[in-house]
Structure formats: C-alpha cells, structure tokens
Amino acid sequence: GQGEEEDSLLQVGSLSTVGEEAKARITAYLDAKAHAGAGTKGLDGIKDMLGELQSKFKTQLKDLQKKELDAKHEFEQLQQQLTNEIDAATQSRNRKKGAAESK
C-alpha cells in the first residue's frame, strides 16, 4: 500500500550507500506526494532511480564477493605454505634428534 511504499523509500534513503542525489530525489518525491499526490512522472523517476540503485548494489555485491573469494584463496595458500614449513621443520628436528640419540 501507500504507507509501505513510503516506508520502503525512507529505508532506501537512509542507506549509507545511497548517493546524495538519490536521497534528494526520494525526499522530493515524498514531499510532492504529501502535498499534491504523486504523478506518474515522479513515480517513473523513482522507479528508474531504484533500478539504477539495484544495478549499482548488484555490481558492488559482485565485486565484494570476488574480493572475498580472492582473500580466501590467498589465506588457504598461506595456510598450506605454513603447514608445509612446520612439517619440514618437524622432520628436520626429528632427524637431528635421532642422530644425536644414536651417538
């Protein structure tokens, strides 16, 4: 309904990732709607803006997911490298300990 639409727009307008221009357009739309009722032109502008925001958010999400995957891969490589180094050091220590005990 009407109230849900306004609440949704207010929520979108409060997001930190929403630009100032978009926030101003939302506020202008809600003000115009409160005073004279929304015309289809104003509603179309808001729909366009929300479509642009959705596209922007999807792009940001995709970029962040890629960064997360890259970071996970780097972590796993580092973890494997450290595990290998620990294993090699343990084997070296055991060889030295065995050599010292056999003397």
Side-chain angles (χ1 to χ4, degrees):
Q2 291 281 71
E4 290 177 23
E5 176 189 30
E6 290 173 6
D7 289 344
S8 296
L9 289 173
L10 288 171
Q11 285 179 342
V12 169
S14 69
L15 297 173
S16 62
T17 54
V18 175
E20 292 303 315
E21 179 185 344
K23 289 180 182 182
R25 289 171 70 180
I26 290 172
T27 301
Y29 169 75
L30 291 174
D31 288 346
K33 186 175 179 179
H35 293 295
T40 56
K41 184 177 180 183
L43 186 58
D44 289 343
I46 293 296
K47 287 180 181 177
D48 290 345
M49 179 201 54
L50 291 174
E52 292 168 10
L53 286 173
Q54 182 181 28
S55 176
K56 177 182 173 184
F57 292 155
K58 284 182 179 181
T59 300
Q60 287 176 343
L61 177 63
K62 184 178 173 183
D63 291 345
L64 289 172
Q65 286 173 332
K66 183 182 181 326
K67 285 180 184 179
E68 180 182 23
L69 192 59
D70 290 346
K72 181 181 178 186
H73 180 69
E74 287 178 34
F75 171 80
E76 288 171 349
Q77 284 183 321
L78 179 58
Q79 184 180 31
Q80 185 62 51
Q81 178 185 353
L82 292 173
T83 300
N84 292 344
E85 289 176 12
I86 290 169
D87 290 345
T90 301
Q91 289 174 3
S92 175
R93 182 193 68 208
N94 290 342
R95 279 194 304 271
K96 289 177 185 176
K97 185 178 176 184
E101 289 176 355
S102 64
K103 284 186 181 183

